[in-house]
Amino acid sequence: MSTDIPKERSSLSTLKGLLPFLLPYRRQFILAGIALLVAACATLAIPAAFRQMIDLGFGHNGKGNIEHVDLTFLALFAVACVLGIATAARFYMVSWLGERVTADIRNAVYSHVVTQSPQFFETTQTGEVLSRLTTDTTLIQTVVGTSISMALRNVLLFIGGLVMLFITSIKLSSIIIVMLALVVLPIILFGRRVRKLSRDSQDKIADASAIAGEILNAMPTVQAFTHEHIEARRFADSVENAFGTAMRRTRARSLLTMMAILLVFGAIVFVLWLGARAVMNGTMSGGELGQFILYASIVAGALGALSEVMGDAQRAAGATERLLELMEVQSPIQNPAHPRALPQRAVKQTGGASLSIRDIRFHYPSRPDTASIAGVTLDIPAGQTIAVVGSSGAGKTTLFQLLLRFYDPQSGEIQLDGVNIRDLDLHTLRNAIGVVPQETIIFSANAMDNIRYGRADASDAEVMAAAKMAAAHEFIEKLPEGYQSFLGERGVRLSGGQRQRIAIARALLKNPPLLLLDEATSALDAESERLVQGALEVAMQDRTTLIIAHRLATVQRADKIIVMEHGRIVETGTHASLVAQGGVYAKLAALQFNLASEHT
């Protein structure tokens, strides 16, 4: 299954994709529809009341009946009251629907995106996703909360006004229908261009958001290389590009509106001129002409409003298209149809889990010609500590990603406690694994919540115990508000070593049967490393642990050391046996320990 976002689909039919989000709120739609129908009927009753007032109230020769005038104006006021109440009810209901449906779409899209594998984020920028979650859903809110209601209202007014036009004068109405048919065709054709420009405009805004998101997440690097002006200019160029596309869309939409108004009203004015001549000839009463003029105005106004609504609908179609594209992306990493359970030992998280890796081969989807793992076979008994060493790019971190099923190997299999990990529910698998990643992630929350991320139901005492094991308790207690101290976005208020100890505490709180340490002590100073190393040794007891480390001093006491190069295991043994072999590990050890002795 592809994680690539598909492109361009069809026109306004794309809006049908919103139906699953609209159907749960049928009751609200029915209530809004009733209010809409009542308001439309009240609007269509006004011209008929004016005809009565002109023909019966004023009478012939300008002498009328005052009672008819009074009754007509009372009726008009009653119609206005009904119109006001119905319009307010319609506005409230459709606004509620717009807000509710938009919230549901945002939740659905976000919930879908967070289930995607890392492969999706290799090719999709975070800013692009955020743009679709914010800008595009706002456009849909406009359509659901305003445009659909306006469209239905004006369709009712158009149809109702048209019917009343024919009742008033078949001849004039026939002429106006023919003329309107001739002017609507160019409006529809021009509307297609507006839709394409709307899609382009949204894409350009998403590009600008992607650039901004990327740079704001890398501000220390940008400032360290004094690229502030360069990045500001790059963002400005992207914004200007989006502005230019938006203005092309605005010009096209302005022309569409102008065409609609000129052509439609031009046709109506011509027909009304014919009607005025009919009154002069005595073939039509003044009240009938007045009624015809008002109904013609309603029909023309409805058409003009529909052209405006069409512009919003075209933009919303593009937004819906982009959101549905995200919803259609399927992660290649799927739960099995009938997941198996892990043996009871791993489920209880007492003791380590055995791991068996059988001839796995893997290349990243973005680098199909380069093998990151090339035929690795490895058996790890429960409770052992295995160190994985090698130069950068040897495949160590990739091996961890395959264990977590962030990716699946192209061939071979991985078994956890004798169960193929492809047969396990993803949550079952990942709940059995604790990870301390190379790049520490700290969330915008306090220290307590950051550590509790390891196990959401952990008590405060359990969180503090994990922090003590990770040598984090002391520095957390010294923070202004202790465990309740906000750590800043991405942990900017902490040092690298402090962030690393928070991550270690998080993994220890989870207490999994399999622990993956990816350079877990890489960001620590000598004293912190000594404290954390002692804590990790306690945590690794009766637990299967895989350690990635460039600093060989941290892995000397491992039960087994695996040396990787170019995605293959090239050496296996203990520290002493590998040094004695005089191979790759011996060279790495000689280099590191010689350098260390030179600096002592």
Side-chain angles (χ1 to χ4, degrees), residues 76-134:
L76 279 173
F77 179 72
V79 169
C81 290
V82 171
L83 180 61
I85 294 170
T87 301
R90 173 188 63 82
F91 175 78
Y92 175 82
M93 291 307 304
V94 297
S95 296
W96 185 92
L97 283 165
E99 297 287 350
R100 181 68 266 164
V101 169
T102 302
D104 290 349
I105 290 173
R106 283 187 178 134
N107 287 333
V109 172
Y110 186 78
S111 297
H112 183 72
V113 168
V114 296
T115 64
Q116 297 303 308
S117 72
Q119 181 179 334
F120 172 79
F121 297 98
E122 279 186 40
T123 54
T124 306
Q125 291 178 300
T126 306
E128 166 80 5
V129 176
L130 292 177
S131 173
R132 297 190 186 203
L133 278 172
T134 53

CSV table of all heavy atoms in Angstrom, one decimal, residues 76-134:
chain,number,residue,atom,x,y,z
A,76,LEU,N,-47.5,42.2,5.7
A,76,LEU,CA,-46.1,42.3,5.5
A,76,LEU,C,-45.3,42.2,6.7
A,76,LEU,O,-44.2,41.6,6.8
A,76,LEU,CB,-45.8,43.6,4.7
A,76,LEU,CG,-46.0,43.6,3.2
A,76,LEU,CD1,-45.8,45.0,2.7
A,76,LEU,CD2,-45.0,42.7,2.5
A,77,PHE,N,-45.8,42.9,7.8
A,77,PHE,CA,-45.1,42.8,9.1
A,77,PHE,C,-45.0,41.4,9.7
A,77,PHE,O,-44.0,40.9,10.2
A,77,PHE,CB,-45.7,43.8,10.1
A,77,PHE,CG,-45.1,43.8,11.4
A,77,PHE,CD1,-43.8,44.4,11.6
A,77,PHE,CD2,-45.6,43.2,12.5
A,77,PHE,CE1,-43.2,44.4,12.8
A,77,PHE,CE2,-45.0,43.2,13.8
A,77,PHE,CZ,-43.8,43.8,13.9
A,78,ALA,N,-46.2,40.7,9.5
A,78,ALA,CA,-46.2,39.3,10.0
A,78,ALA,C,-45.3,38.4,9.2
A,78,ALA,O,-44.5,37.6,9.8
A,78,ALA,CB,-47.7,38.8,9.8
A,79,VAL,N,-45.2,38.7,7.9
A,79,VAL,CA,-44.2,37.9,7.1
A,79,VAL,C,-42.8,38.2,7.5
A,79,VAL,O,-41.9,37.3,7.6
A,79,VAL,CB,-44.4,38.2,5.6
A,79,VAL,CG1,-43.3,37.7,4.7
A,79,VAL,CG2,-45.7,37.7,5.1
A,80,ALA,N,-42.5,39.5,7.8
A,80,ALA,CA,-41.2,39.9,8.3
A,80,ALA,C,-40.8,39.2,9.6
A,80,ALA,O,-39.7,38.8,9.8
A,80,ALA,CB,-41.1,41.4,8.4
A,81,CYS,N,-41.8,39.1,10.5
A,81,CYS,CA,-41.5,38.4,11.8
A,81,CYS,C,-41.2,36.9,11.5
A,81,CYS,O,-40.2,36.4,12.1
A,81,CYS,CB,-42.8,38.5,12.7
A,81,CYS,SG,-43.1,40.2,13.3
A,82,VAL,N,-42.0,36.3,10.7
A,82,VAL,CA,-41.7,34.9,10.4
A,82,VAL,C,-40.3,34.7,9.7
A,82,VAL,O,-39.6,33.8,10.0
A,82,VAL,CB,-42.8,34.3,9.4
A,82,VAL,CG1,-42.4,32.9,8.9
A,82,VAL,CG2,-44.1,34.3,10.2
A,83,LEU,N,-40.0,35.6,8.8
A,83,LEU,CA,-38.7,35.6,8.1
A,83,LEU,C,-37.6,35.8,9.1
A,83,LEU,O,-36.6,35.1,9.0
A,83,LEU,CB,-38.7,36.7,7.0
A,83,LEU,CG,-37.4,36.8,6.2
A,83,LEU,CD1,-37.2,35.6,5.4
A,83,LEU,CD2,-37.6,38.0,5.2
A,84,GLY,N,-37.7,36.7,10.0
A,84,GLY,CA,-36.7,37.0,11.0
A,84,GLY,C,-36.4,35.8,11.9
A,84,GLY,O,-35.3,35.4,12.1
A,85,ILE,N,-37.5,35.2,12.4
A,85,ILE,CA,-37.3,34.0,13.3
A,85,ILE,C,-36.7,32.8,12.5
A,85,ILE,O,-35.8,32.2,13.0
A,85,ILE,CB,-38.7,33.7,13.9
A,85,ILE,CG1,-39.2,34.8,14.8
A,85,ILE,CG2,-38.6,32.3,14.7
A,85,ILE,CD1,-40.6,34.6,15.3
A,86,ALA,N,-37.3,32.6,11.3
A,86,ALA,CA,-36.8,31.4,10.5
A,86,ALA,C,-35.3,31.6,10.1
A,86,ALA,O,-34.5,30.7,10.2
A,86,ALA,CB,-37.7,31.2,9.3
A,87,THR,N,-35.0,32.8,9.8
A,87,THR,CA,-33.6,33.1,9.4
A,87,THR,C,-32.6,32.9,10.5
A,87,THR,O,-31.5,32.4,10.4
A,87,THR,CB,-33.4,34.5,8.8
A,87,THR,OG1,-34.3,34.7,7.7
A,87,THR,CG2,-32.0,34.8,8.3
A,88,ALA,N,-33.0,33.4,11.7
A,88,ALA,CA,-32.2,33.3,12.9
A,88,ALA,C,-32.0,31.8,13.3
A,88,ALA,O,-30.9,31.3,13.6
A,88,ALA,CB,-32.8,34.0,14.1
A,89,ALA,N,-33.1,31.0,13.2
A,89,ALA,CA,-33.0,29.6,13.5
A,89,ALA,C,-32.1,28.9,12.5
A,89,ALA,O,-31.3,28.0,12.8
A,89,ALA,CB,-34.4,29.0,13.4
A,90,ARG,N,-32.3,29.3,11.2
A,90,ARG,CA,-31.4,28.6,10.1
A,90,ARG,C,-29.9,29.0,10.4
A,90,ARG,O,-29.1,28.1,10.3
A,90,ARG,CB,-31.8,29.2,8.8
A,90,ARG,CG,-30.9,28.7,7.6
A,90,ARG,CD,-31.2,29.4,6.3
A,90,ARG,NE,-31.1,30.9,6.4
A,90,ARG,CZ,-29.9,31.5,6.2
A,90,ARG,NH1,-28.8,30.8,6.0
A,90,ARG,NH2,-29.8,32.8,6.3
A,91,PHE,N,-29.7,30.2,10.7
A,91,PHE,CA,-28.3,30.7,10.9
A,91,PHE,C,-27.6,29.9,12.1
A,91,PHE,O,-26.5,29.4,12.0
A,91,PHE,CB,-28.2,32.2,11.2
A,91,PHE,CG,-26.8,32.7,11.6
A,91,PHE,CD1,-25.9,32.9,10.6
A,91,PHE,CD2,-26.5,32.9,12.9
A,91,PHE,CE1,-24.6,33.3,10.9
A,91,PHE,CE2,-25.2,33.3,13.2
A,91,PHE,CZ,-24.3,33.5,12.2
A,92,TYR,N,-28.4,29.7,13.2
A,92,TYR,CA,-27.9,29.0,14.4
A,92,TYR,C,-27.6,27.6,14.0
A,92,TYR,O,-26.5,27.1,14.3
A,92,TYR,CB,-28.8,29.1,15.5
A,92,TYR,CG,-28.4,28.3,16.7
A,92,TYR,CD1,-27.4,28.8,17.6
A,92,TYR,CD2,-28.9,27.0,16.9
A,92,TYR,CE1,-27.0,28.0,18.7
A,92,TYR,CE2,-28.4,26.2,18.0
A,92,TYR,CZ,-27.5,26.7,18.9
A,92,TYR,OH,-27.1,26.0,19.9
A,93,MET,N,-28.5,26.9,13.4
A,93,MET,CA,-28.4,25.5,13.1
A,93,MET,C,-27.2,25.2,12.1
A,93,MET,O,-26.4,24.3,12.3
A,93,MET,CB,-29.7,24.9,12.5
A,93,MET,CG,-30.8,24.8,13.5
A,93,MET,SD,-30.4,24.0,15.1
A,93,MET,CE,-29.8,22.4,14.5
A,94,VAL,N,-27.1,26.0,11.1
A,94,VAL,CA,-26.1,25.7,10.1
A,94,VAL,C,-24.7,26.1,10.6
A,94,VAL,O,-23.7,25.5,10.3
A,94,VAL,CB,-26.3,26.4,8.7
A,94,VAL,CG1,-27.6,25.9,8.1
A,94,VAL,CG2,-26.4,27.9,8.9
A,95,SER,N,-24.6,27.2,11.5
A,95,SER,CA,-23.4,27.5,12.1
A,95,SER,C,-22.9,26.4,13.1
A,95,SER,O,-21.7,26.0,13.1
A,95,SER,CB,-23.5,28.8,12.9
A,95,SER,OG,-23.8,29.9,12.0
A,96,TRP,N,-23.9,25.8,13.8
A,96,TRP,CA,-23.5,24.7,14.7
A,96,TRP,C,-23.0,23.5,13.9
A,96,TRP,O,-22.0,22.9,14.2
A,96,TRP,CB,-24.8,24.3,15.5
A,96,TRP,CG,-24.5,23.2,16.5
A,96,TRP,CD1,-24.2,23.4,17.8
A,96,TRP,CD2,-24.6,21.8,16.2
A,96,TRP,NE1,-24.0,22.1,18.4
A,96,TRP,CE2,-24.2,21.1,17.5
A,96,TRP,CE3,-24.8,21.0,15.1
A,96,TRP,CZ2,-24.2,19.8,17.6
A,96,TRP,CZ3,-24.8,19.6,15.2
A,96,TRP,CH2,-24.5,19.0,16.5
A,97,LEU,N,-23.7,23.3,12.8
A,97,LEU,CA,-23.2,22.2,11.9
A,97,LEU,C,-21.8,22.4,11.3
A,97,LEU,O,-21.0,21.5,11.3
A,97,LEU,CB,-24.2,22.0,10.7
A,97,LEU,CG,-25.5,21.3,11.1
A,97,LEU,CD1,-26.6,21.5,10.0
A,97,LEU,CD2,-25.3,19.8,11.3
A,98,GLY,N,-21.6,23.6,10.9
A,98,GLY,CA,-20.3,24.0,10.4
A,98,GLY,C,-19.2,23.7,11.4
A,98,GLY,O,-18.1,23.1,11.1
A,99,GLU,N,-19.4,24.2,12.6
A,99,GLU,CA,-18.4,24.0,13.7
A,99,GLU,C,-18.2,22.5,14.1
A,99,GLU,O,-17.1,22.0,14.2
A,99,GLU,CB,-18.8,24.8,14.9
A,99,GLU,CG,-18.8,26.3,14.7
A,99,GLU,CD,-17.5,27.0,14.6
A,99,GLU,OE1,-16.4,26.3,14.9
A,99,GLU,OE2,-17.4,28.1,14.2
A,100,ARG,N,-19.3,21.8,14.2
A,100,ARG,CA,-19.3,20.4,14.6
A,100,ARG,C,-18.6,19.5,13.5
A,100,ARG,O,-17.8,18.7,13.9
A,100,ARG,CB,-20.7,19.9,14.8
A,100,ARG,CG,-20.9,18.5,15.3
A,100,ARG,CD,-20.4,18.3,16.7
A,100,ARG,NE,-19.0,17.8,16.6
A,100,ARG,CZ,-18.2,17.8,17.7
A,100,ARG,NH1,-18.6,18.3,18.8
A,100,ARG,NH2,-16.9,17.4,17.6
A,101,VAL,N,-19.0,19.7,12.3
A,101,VAL,CA,-18.5,18.9,11.2
A,101,VAL,C,-17.0,19.2,11.0
A,101,VAL,O,-16.2,18.3,10.8
A,101,VAL,CB,-19.2,19.1,9.9
A,101,VAL,CG1,-18.5,18.5,8.7
A,101,VAL,CG2,-20.6,18.5,10.0
A,102,THR,N,-16.6,20.4,11.1
A,102,THR,CA,-15.2,20.8,11.0
A,102,THR,C,-14.4,20.2,12.1
A,102,THR,O,-13.3,19.6,11.9
A,102,THR,CB,-15.0,22.3,11.0
A,102,THR,OG1,-15.8,22.9,10.0
A,102,THR,CG2,-13.6,22.7,10.9
A,103,ALA,N,-14.9,20.2,13.3
A,103,ALA,CA,-14.2,19.6,14.5
A,103,ALA,C,-14.0,18.1,14.2
A,103,ALA,O,-13.0,17.5,14.5
A,103,ALA,CB,-14.9,19.8,15.8
A,104,ASP,N,-15.1,17.4,13.7
A,104,ASP,CA,-15.0,16.0,13.4
A,104,ASP,C,-14.0,15.7,12.4
A,104,ASP,O,-13.3,14.7,12.4
A,104,ASP,CB,-16.4,15.5,13.0
A,104,ASP,CG,-17.4,15.5,14.1
A,104,ASP,OD1,-17.0,15.7,15.3
A,104,ASP,OD2,-18.6,15.3,13.9
A,105,ILE,N,-13.9,16.5,11.3
A,105,ILE,CA,-13.0,16.3,10.2
A,105,ILE,C,-11.6,16.4,10.7
A,105,ILE,O,-10.7,15.6,10.4
A,105,ILE,CB,-13.3,17.2,9.0
A,105,ILE,CG1,-14.6,16.9,8.4
A,105,ILE,CG2,-12.1,17.2,8.0
A,105,ILE,CD1,-15.0,17.9,7.3
A,106,ARG,N,-11.3,17.5,11.5
A,106,ARG,CA,-10.0,17.7,12.1
A,106,ARG,C,-9.6,16.5,12.9
A,106,ARG,O,-8.4,16.0,12.8
A,106,ARG,CB,-9.9,18.9,12.9
A,106,ARG,CG,-9.9,20.2,12.1
A,106,ARG,CD,-9.7,21.4,13.0
A,106,ARG,NE,-9.6,22.6,12.2
A,106,ARG,CZ,-10.2,23.8,12.4
A,106,ARG,NH1,-11.0,23.9,13.5
A,106,ARG,NH2,-10.0,24.8,11.6
A,107,ASN,N,-10.5,16.0,13.8
A,107,ASN,CA,-10.2,14.8,14.6
A,107,ASN,C,-9.9,13.6,13.8
A,107,ASN,O,-9.0,12.8,14.0
A,107,ASN,CB,-11.3,14.6,15.6
A,107,ASN,CG,-11.4,15.6,16.7
A,107,ASN,OD1,-10.4,16.2,17.0
A,107,ASN,ND2,-12.6,15.8,17.2
A,108,ALA,N,-10.7,13.4,12.7
A,108,ALA,CA,-10.6,12.2,11.9
A,108,ALA,C,-9.3,12.2,11.2
A,108,ALA,O,-8.5,11.2,11.1
A,108,ALA,CB,-11.7,12.1,10.9
A,109,VAL,N,-8.9,13.4,10.6
A,109,VAL,CA,-7.7,13.5,9.8
A,109,VAL,C,-6.5,13.3,10.7
A,109,VAL,O,-5.5,12.5,10.4
A,109,VAL,CB,-7.6,14.8,9.0
A,109,VAL,CG1,-6.2,15.0,8.4
A,109,VAL,CG2,-8.7,14.9,8.0
A,110,TYR,N,-6.5,14.0,11.9
A,110,TYR,CA,-5.3,13.9,12.8
A,110,TYR,C,-5.2,12.5,13.3
A,110,TYR,O,-4.1,11.9,13.3
A,110,TYR,CB,-5.5,14.9,13.9
A,110,TYR,CG,-4.3,14.9,14.8
A,110,TYR,CD1,-3.2,15.7,14.5
A,110,TYR,CD2,-4.3,14.3,16.1
A,110,TYR,CE1,-2.1,15.7,15.3
A,110,TYR,CE2,-3.2,14.3,16.9
A,110,TYR,CZ,-2.1,15.0,16.5
A,110,TYR,OH,-1.0,15.1,17.3
A,111,SER,N,-6.3,11.8,13.7
A,111,SER,CA,-6.3,10.5,14.2
A,111,SER,C,-5.7,9.5,13.1
A,111,SER,O,-5.0,8.5,13.5
A,111,SER,CB,-7.7,10.0,14.6
A,111,SER,OG,-8.1,10.8,15.7
A,112,HIS,N,-6.0,9.8,11.9
A,112,HIS,CA,-5.5,8.9,10.8
A,112,HIS,C,-4.0,9.2,10.6
A,112,HIS,O,-3.3,8.2,10.4
A,112,HIS,CB,-6.3,9.2,9.5
A,112,HIS,CG,-5.9,8.4,8.3
A,112,HIS,ND1,-6.2,7.0,8.3
A,112,HIS,CD2,-5.2,8.7,7.2
A,112,HIS,CE1,-5.8,6.5,7.1
A,112,HIS,NE2,-5.1,7.5,6.5
A,113,VAL,N,-3.6,10.4,10.6
A,113,VAL,CA,-2.2,10.8,10.3
A,113,VAL,C,-1.3,10.2,11.4
A,113,VAL,O,-0.2,9.7,11.0
A,113,VAL,CB,-2.0,12.3,10.2
A,113,VAL,CG1,-0.5,12.7,10.2
A,113,VAL,CG2,-2.7,12.8,8.9
A,114,VAL,N,-1.7,10.2,12.6
A,114,VAL,CA,-0.8,9.7,13.7
A,114,VAL,C,-0.6,8.2,13.7
A,114,VAL,O,0.2,7.6,14.4
A,114,VAL,CB,-1.3,10.1,15.1
A,114,VAL,CG1,-1.2,11.6,15.3
A,114,VAL,CG2,-2.7,9.6,15.4
A,115,THR,N,-1.4,7.5,12.9
A,115,THR,CA,-1.3,6.0,12.7
A,115,THR,C,-0.3,5.7,11.6
A,115,THR,O,0.0,4.5,11.3
A,115,THR,CB,-2.6,5.3,12.5
A,115,THR,OG1,-3.2,5.8,11.3
A,115,THR,CG2,-3.6,5.6,13.6
A,116,GLN,N,0.1,6.7,10.8
A,116,GLN,CA,1.0,6.4,9.7
A,116,GLN,C,2.4,6.0,10.1
A,116,GLN,O,2.9,6.4,11.1
A,116,GLN,CB,1.1,7.6,8.7
A,116,GLN,CG,-0.3,8.1,8.1
A,116,GLN,CD,-0.9,7.0,7.4
A,116,GLN,OE1,-0.3,6.3,6.5
A,116,GLN,NE2,-2.2,6.7,7.7
A,117,SER,N,3.0,5.2,9.3
A,117,SER,CA,4.4,4.7,9.6
A,117,SER,C,5.4,5.9,9.3
A,117,SER,O,5.0,6.8,8.6
A,117,SER,CB,4.7,3.5,8.8
A,117,SER,OG,4.9,3.9,7.4
A,118,PRO,N,6.6,5.8,9.8
A,118,PRO,CA,7.6,6.8,9.4
A,118,PRO,C,7.8,7.0,7.9
A,118,PRO,O,8.2,8.0,7.5
A,118,PRO,CB,8.9,6.2,10.1
A,118,PRO,CG,8.4,5.5,11.3
A,118,PRO,CD,7.1,4.8,10.8
A,119,GLN,N,7.5,6.0,7.1
A,119,GLN,CA,7.6,6.1,5.7
A,119,GLN,C,6.8,7.2,5.2
A,119,GLN,O,7.2,7.9,4.2
A,119,GLN,CB,7.1,4.8,5.0
A,119,GLN,CG,7.2,4.8,3.5
A,119,GLN,CD,6.8,3.5,2.9
A,119,GLN,OE1,6.9,2.4,3.6
A,119,GLN,NE2,6.3,3.5,1.7
A,120,PHE,N,5.6,7.5,5.7
A,120,PHE,CA,4.7,8.6,5.3
A,120,PHE,C,5.4,9.9,5.5
A,120,PHE,O,5.4,10.8,4.6
A,120,PHE,CB,3.4,8.5,6.1
A,120,PHE,CG,2.5,9.7,5.9
A,120,PHE,CD1,1.7,9.9,4.8
A,120,PHE,CD2,2.5,10.8,6.9
A,120,PHE,CE1,0.9,11.0,4.6
A,120,PHE,CE2,1.7,11.9,6.7
A,120,PHE,CZ,0.9,12.0,5.6
A,121,PHE,N,6.1,10.1,6.7
A,121,PHE,CA,6.8,11.3,7.0
A,121,PHE,C,8.1,11.5,6.3
A,121,PHE,O,8.7,12.6,6.4
A,121,PHE,CB,6.9,11.5,8.5
A,121,PHE,CG,5.6,11.5,9.2
A,121,PHE,CD1,5.1,10.3,9.8
A,121,PHE,CD2,4.8,12.6,9.2
A,121,PHE,CE1,3.8,10.3,10.4
A,121,PHE,CE2,3.6,12.7,9.8
A,121,PHE,CZ,3.1,11.5,10.4
A,122,GLU,N,8.6,10.5,5.6
A,122,GLU,CA,9.8,10.6,4.8
A,122,GLU,C,9.5,11.5,3.6
A,122,GLU,O,10.4,12.2,3.1
A,122,GLU,CB,10.3,9.2,4.2
A,122,GLU,CG,11.1,8.4,5.2
A,122,GLU,CD,11.6,7.2,4.6
A,122,GLU,OE1,12.0,7.2,3.4
A,122,GLU,OE2,11.6,6.1,5.2
A,123,THR,N,8.3,11.4,3.1
A,123,THR,CA,7.9,12.1,1.8
A,123,THR,C,6.9,13.3,2.1
A,123,THR,O,6.6,14.0,1.1
A,123,THR,CB,7.3,11.2,0.8
A,123,THR,OG1,6.2,10.4,1.4
A,123,THR,CG2,8.4,10.1,0.4
A,124,THR,N,6.4,13.4,3.3
A,124,THR,CA,5.4,14.5,3.5
A,124,THR,C,5.9,15.4,4.6
A,124,THR,O,6.2,14.9,5.7
A,124,THR,CB,4.0,13.8,4.0
A,124,THR,OG1,3.6,12.9,3.0
A,124,THR,CG2,3.0,14.9,4.1
A,125,GLN,N,5.9,16.7,4.3
A,125,GLN,CA,6.3,17.7,5.3
A,125,GLN,C,5.2,17.9,6.4
A,125,GLN,O,4.0,17.9,6.1
A,125,GLN,CB,6.7,19.0,4.6
A,125,GLN,CG,7.9,18.9,3.8
A,125,GLN,CD,8.1,20.3,3.1
A,125,GLN,OE1,7.3,20.7,2.3
A,125,GLN,NE2,9.3,20.8,3.3
A,126,THR,N,5.7,18.1,7.6
A,126,THR,CA,4.7,18.3,8.7
A,126,THR,C,3.9,19.6,8.5
A,126,THR,O,2.7,19.6,8.7
A,126,THR,CB,5.5,18.5,10.0
A,126,THR,OG1,6.4,17.3,10.2
A,126,THR,CG2,4.6,18.6,11.2
A,127,GLY,N,4.5,20.6,7.9
A,127,GLY,CA,3.8,21.9,7.6
A,127,GLY,C,2.7,21.6,6.6
A,127,GLY,O,1.6,22.3,6.7
A,128,GLU,N,2.9,20.7,5.7
A,128,GLU,CA,1.8,20.4,4.7
A,128,GLU,C,0.6,19.8,5.4
A,128,GLU,O,-0.5,20.2,5.2
A,128,GLU,CB,2.4,19.4,3.7
A,128,GLU,CG,1.4,18.8,2.8
A,128,GLU,CD,0.9,19.6,1.7
A,128,GLU,OE1,1.4,20.7,1.5
A,128,GLU,OE2,0.0,19.2,0.9
A,129,VAL,N,0.9,18.9,6.3
A,129,VAL,CA,-0.2,18.3,7.1
A,129,VAL,C,-1.0,19.3,7.9
A,129,VAL,O,-2.2,19.3,8.0
A,129,VAL,CB,0.3,17.1,8.0
A,129,VAL,CG1,-0.8,16.5,8.8
A,129,VAL,CG2,0.9,16.0,7.1
A,130,LEU,N,-0.2,20.2,8.6
A,130,LEU,CA,-0.8,21.2,9.5
A,130,LEU,C,-1.6,22.2,8.7
A,130,LEU,O,-2.7,22.6,9.1
A,130,LEU,CB,0.3,22.0,10.2
A,130,LEU,CG,1.1,21.2,11.3
A,130,LEU,CD1,2.2,22.0,11.9
A,130,LEU,CD2,0.1,20.6,12.4
A,131,SER,N,-1.2,22.5,7.5
A,131,SER,CA,-2.0,23.4,6.6
A,131,SER,C,-3.3,22.8,6.2
A,131,SER,O,-4.3,23.4,6.3
A,131,SER,CB,-1.2,23.7,5.3
A,131,SER,OG,-2.0,24.4,4.4
A,132,ARG,N,-3.3,21.5,6.0
A,132,ARG,CA,-4.5,20.8,5.6
A,132,ARG,C,-5.5,20.7,6.8
A,132,ARG,O,-6.7,20.8,6.7
A,132,ARG,CB,-4.2,19.4,5.1
A,132,ARG,CG,-3.4,19.5,3.8
A,132,ARG,CD,-3.3,18.1,3.1
A,132,ARG,NE,-2.4,18.2,1.9
A,132,ARG,CZ,-2.5,17.4,0.9
A,132,ARG,NH1,-3.3,16.4,0.9
A,132,ARG,NH2,-1.6,17.5,-0.1
A,133,LEU,N,-4.9,20.6,8.0
A,133,LEU,CA,-5.7,20.5,9.2
A,133,LEU,C,-6.3,21.8,9.6
A,133,LEU,O,-7.3,21.9,10.3
A,133,LEU,CB,-4.8,20.0,10.4
A,133,LEU,CG,-4.6,18.5,10.5
A,133,LEU,CD1,-3.6,18.2,11.6
A,133,LEU,CD2,-5.9,17.8,10.8
A,134,THR,N,-5.7,22.9,9.2
A,134,THR,CA,-6.2,24.3,9.7
A,134,THR,C,-6.8,25.0,8.5
A,134,THR,O,-8.0,25.2,8.5
A,134,THR,CB,-5.0,25.1,10.2
A,134,THR,OG1,-3.9,25.1,9.3
A,134,THR,CG2,-4.5,24.5,11.5
